[in-house]
Amino acid sequence: MTLLEARRIEKAFGRTRALRGVSVAIGSGEIVAITGPSGSGKSTLLHCLSGIMCPETGEVHYDGRRIDTLDEAARTRLRREAFGVVFQFGRLVPELTAAENVALPLLFGGNGREESATVARAWLERMDALDVADARPGELSGGQLQRVAVARALVTGPKVVFADEPTGALDSVAGERVLGLLLEAARVNGSTVVIVTHDNRVAAHADREIVVRDGAAAGVVV
Amino acid sequence: MLDRLFIECIFACMSTGHILLGLLTERPKHGYELKREHDDRLPGVKPIAYGQVYATLQRLERDGKVAVSGTAKEGGPERTVYEITGDGADEVHRWLAEIEPPAPYVSSALFVRVVLALIAEGTADGYLLRQRAAHLERMRELTARKNTAGISAGELLATDYALYHLDADLRWLETARQRIDELTQEIRT
Amino acid sequence: MTFFQVAGMLGRGGSRAERARARLVAAGAALATCFLFGAANVLTLNGQLDDRLGPIANRGTRPGVAFAFGLMILPVAAFLYQTGRLASADRERRLAALRLAGATPGEVRLLGALETTRSAALGTVCGAIAYVLLEWSIRGLLLHLPTTAAGVPPVPGLAAMALVIAVATVSGLLAGRHVVTSPLGVIRRATRRPPGRYVLLVPVLGCIPMVALVVGVQMPYRPFAILLGAGLSAVGLMLSASRLVWASARIAGRRARSAETLLAARALEADTRPWGRTMSILGLAVAIGSGTGWIQAGFMDARHTLDPFWLTSFTLVDLALLVGMAVAAAALITHQAEYLMEHGPVLATLRAAGVADGELRRVLTRQGIIAAVLPCSVAALIGLLPLARALHNETWALWPVTNAVLMAALGVLAATLATKASQHRLQRAVSPGRLRTE
């Protein structure tokens, strides 16, 4: 069953045409890698699929609903309720501890402080990062940062996890660990995962690869 | 120039003699034990035939690298136990001090196909995508194997080795796609 | 190519934000020049003037007015320092390329100071011209006084201008301190320890003679003791503002129920000093404003009326306090811009994860509220202390209390409005473009 779909979407930044009519369909529970050389538009495709930005033409559907025509507030709600995001370098709030960073989405969702902290710690434990729960991001290694970031993305039990080069800043052993934990947790959750990467070994963790070249899907490789 | 690039696929000349000598540095062993340890400890390397173990041991004995140290009988038939000699130990350490020649490895089959696809069909795009899919499928299998529970560290490293080489092929394929115009021009002129 | 040629080249370039910041420095310098000119002008006046001019009319109160003008330099200096800090953080990012090309950190800092000096010099000249024109027109057109006599004597005037430029240059040099740079750009700002707790003793010490007065303890050298107490309280309040901000941020962070409060409190706790600087000035204004309530109530109590002299005096004091608060709070706008610049990618990531823009705006507003409430309340209380026993009719005590509450609220409002004013930058700071790898 198709959960997330882009139909002939186009997006330009000034004169640069980042996406030129991309169509992709992603099934529920699938783990998909979007690959392509740098500048191919793969990050832009992820931003459009996740409702962070809207394409100029074409349609984006999630769970049978068209989302590119929704207003910012509705898309924000959708991202909060159904999506989780992981980016390169963690992008954690530097002043908060690891546990508070993970609890943040729960707090924004209106949950209590203690309750959120308990859930956050449980997730840190699953990500093998409970030992750094009270450390600030500045004190963490790259691999620890990403594991905390993964915990933050999964803590709300999202339907889809979007990861943009989640292991880009890590060496291969640390990267593999992060990826393994992310995919394992996503499988347990039943979450769909969309990973943008230029690393073939990361792509090999996915069930399927979508190759983006010059802003177009160059053949969906099954 | 192109002929120079079609370098014959270099198979790493892994000497069975060196492997057996290396395994014998631990303690004296008999032939069957050596075969079993070879296959267990070097997963990913082609399993060795018992006959080859036997022949190699005889050659090593003739060269004075190993010597018969006795016999062992563990339930089955009586087996000859070999031990490493001083010469043999020297040989192992000399061999370990060497490096594998970092050969100008060209995956000739892939390269030939790209060139022939350009010559015969005028484009290699389709081939490159299909080859990418095949490579990635193999990488997926290897990755899945790595993620199976109870995998040994040796197997893990061997799988990593294969994965990195496939990855190198894939990156070469991507570069080939970006350089295809230059290559087309070169072939046409 | 010489050093100054490089400086000139860099001065011509620069982004819109940098030009805006250069204008802010110029505006601050112009304001400071005006205040110093005002002080010099008041001191050169002769004889008794129209009562409607309030404290300026009376020879005896003129030094006080000049001193008040001098005090107005404080918020302007804080503003200049904050602007310089922001400019230097931004500039060092830009000049990282220069570091790669082999410039030393000292040279880069000197380049920054030169840029600040140029803007300040421009602002000072503009301020001087504006003041002279304004003073000339007020004197000639409104008061019908002879316009021939010079308002501001040339020597003190030039000295004031030189002083403003020097202060701007020094603050430009100092402002670069907190930024750790490498040729590859700003790594991170140097970590700072929380402000010390012992400074809190200074205002407490200052309050002792005033509390003693209130409870009616007999003191030797009473006026001197009270003056000393008031001075210590004021200085102590300014010194301890950072610690007060830090303390309230810490409490708010511990007890926060919402994500917005948590984010705001922790951001404050991590970077207290810019807020502390602003709050020390805002707090001083609140304390003075709160204290004037007693004087006003005292006059109403004694005379049941206000003559033009006192009406003008009180209005001028309130006006000065408002201007001081506005300038001090304006420094927060530039500080918030710095926060947004630094946290852009992090906030953009939160936004990508489904945090609404309104929630992010609340994070900014709550920073202002958390930072301002404690220092402003303490300041209002300290302002309420002196002269507490000077009234004959206790009903009049209602006014100082109301006034103190109003002043504290005004302080909090100024801080909150400043954070609101920086919210328009949020949209740019959290745009999806900031999600890309930098």
Side-chain angles (χ1 to χ4, degrees), chain B residues 82-98:
Chain B
Y82 292 86
E83 68 178 359
I84 194 163
T85 62
D87 260 13
D90 287 349
E91 175 65 22
V92 171
H93 293 297
R94 192 191 54 72
W95 176 66
L96 285 177
E98 288 169 5

Side-chain angles (χ1 to χ4, degrees), chain C residues 151-395:
Chain C
V152 182
V155 174
L158 285 175
M161 287 167 76
L163 182 72
V164 171
I165 294 171
V167 166
T169 307
V170 169
S171 85
L173 278 173
L174 287 179
R177 263 181 334 172
H178 296 300
V179 187
V180 182
T181 46
S182 81
L184 300 175
V186 173
I187 303 169
R188 53 170 301 135
R189 279 185 302 136
T191 45
R192 279 154 270 164
R193 278 171 299 163
R197 68 175 73 146
Y198 297 108
V199 287
L200 289 179
L201 288 176
V202 183
V204 171
L205 224 66
C207 287
I208 290 173
M210 290 190 283
V211 172
L213 181 78
V214 172
V215 296
V217 176
Q218 289 302 315
M219 278 182 292
Y221 312 108
R222 213 174 85 145
F224 176 72
I226 290 170
L227 203 63
L228 183 75
L232 268 182
S233 305
V235 172
L237 185 66
M238 293 183 72
L239 287 178
S240 46
S242 280
R243 180 71 190 191
L244 288 175
V245 171
W246 183 82
S248 66
R250 203 160 169 78
I251 295 166
R254 285 220 180 110
R255 329 200 75 191
R257 312 299 311 168
S258 71
E260 293 98 316
T261 310
L262 181 68
L263 281 170
R266 286 293 155 81
L268 263 183
E269 192 187 326
D271 197 10
T272 306
R273 286 175 208 279
W275 291 90
R277 272 194 296 277
T278 297
M279 286 308 148
S280 67
I281 312 261
L282 268 185
L284 187 67
V286 168
I288 293 174
S290 169
T292 56
W294 282 113
I295 303 173
Q296 289 162 4
F299 272 99
M300 295 301 282
D301 186 26
R303 307 184 188 186
H304 297 278
T305 176
L306 277 178
D307 49 43
F309 172 82
W310 288 105
L311 197 62
T312 310
S313 298
F314 289 141
T315 313
L316 278 182
V317 168
D318 285 344
L319 195 67
L321 288 175
L322 277 181
V323 170
M325 282 171 138
V327 174
L332 286 179
I333 302 177
T334 51
H335 173 64
Q336 289 284 73
E338 191 179 356
Y339 170 82
L340 286 175
M341 191 165 69
E342 270 186 2
H343 285 68
V346 168
L347 296 177
T349 304
L350 287 181
R351 189 167 176 271
V355 176
D357 289 346
E359 290 167 322
L360 292 177
R361 277 197 292 274
R362 274 207 288 283
V363 172
L364 297 184
T365 319
R366 286 195 193 171
Q367 284 187 24
I369 294 173
I370 296 169
V373 167
L374 193 58
C376 288
S377 310
V378 170
L381 274 179
I382 287 180
L384 265 183
L385 274 180
L387 310 167
R389 297 271 290 187
L391 297 181
H392 303 294
N393 185 345
E394 303 290 330
T395 339

Side-chain angles (χ1 to χ4, degrees), chain C residues 16-50:
Chain C
R16 216 186 65 187
E18 276 156 22
R19 284 197 299 277
R21 231 161 280 130
R23 278 198 288 274
L24 283 181
V25 170
L31 214 53
T33 310
C34 285
F35 289 141
L36 284 181
F37 272 32
N41 196 353
V42 169
L43 286 177
T44 51
L45 290 175
N46 281 317
Q48 182 76 26
L49 298 174
D50 191 325

Side-chain angles (χ1 to χ4, degrees), chain A residues 163-183:
Chain A
D164 193 347
E165 299 283 6
T167 61
L170 306 180
D171 66 60
S172 55
V173 174
E176 210 155 80
R177 186 142 173 247
V178 168
L179 208 57
L181 287 163
L182 165 65
L183 296 180

Side-chain angles (χ1 to χ4, degrees), chain C residues 44-221:
Chain C
T44 51
L45 290 175
N46 281 317
Q48 182 76 26
L49 298 174
D50 191 325
D51 249 8
R52 283 172 303 168
L53 280 174
I56 301 169
N58 203 325
R59 187 182 297 172
T61 50
R62 274 183 203 138
V65 175
F67 180 67
F69 268 123
L71 271 186
M72 296 298 286
I73 296 292
L74 278 179
V76 178
F79 174 79
L80 276 179
Y81 181 80
Q82 190 56 46
T83 313
R85 238 171 68 95
L86 175 62
S88 80
D90 202 24
R91 187 171 47 234
E92 302 233 8
R93 281 179 182 83
R94 181 165 56 96
L95 297 189
L98 270 188
R99 291 286 320 278
L100 267 181
T104 66
E107 282 171 331
V108 169
R109 192 183 291 179
L110 197 59
L111 272 178
L114 274 180
E115 285 187 17
T116 313
T117 309
R118 198 183 38 227
S119 308
L122 195 73
T124 307
V125 171
C126 292
I129 293 171
Y131 183 87
V132 169
L133 284 178
L134 191 73
E135 191 253 357
W136 180 80
S137 47
I138 288 178
R139 208 153 33 123
L141 303 176
L142 292 179
L143 304 175
H144 305 292
L145 290 171
T147 54
T148 44
V152 182
V155 174
L158 285 175
M161 287 167 76
L163 182 72
V164 171
I165 294 171
V167 166
T169 307
V170 169
S171 85
L173 278 173
L174 287 179
R177 263 181 334 172
H178 296 300
V179 187
V180 182
T181 46
S182 81
L184 300 175
V186 173
I187 303 169
R188 53 170 301 135
R189 279 185 302 136
T191 45
R192 279 154 270 164
R193 278 171 299 163
R197 68 175 73 146
Y198 297 108
V199 287
L200 289 179
L201 288 176
V202 183
V204 171
L205 224 66
C207 287
I208 290 173
M210 290 190 283
V211 172
L213 181 78
V214 172
V215 296
V217 176
Q218 289 302 315
M219 278 182 292
Y221 312 108

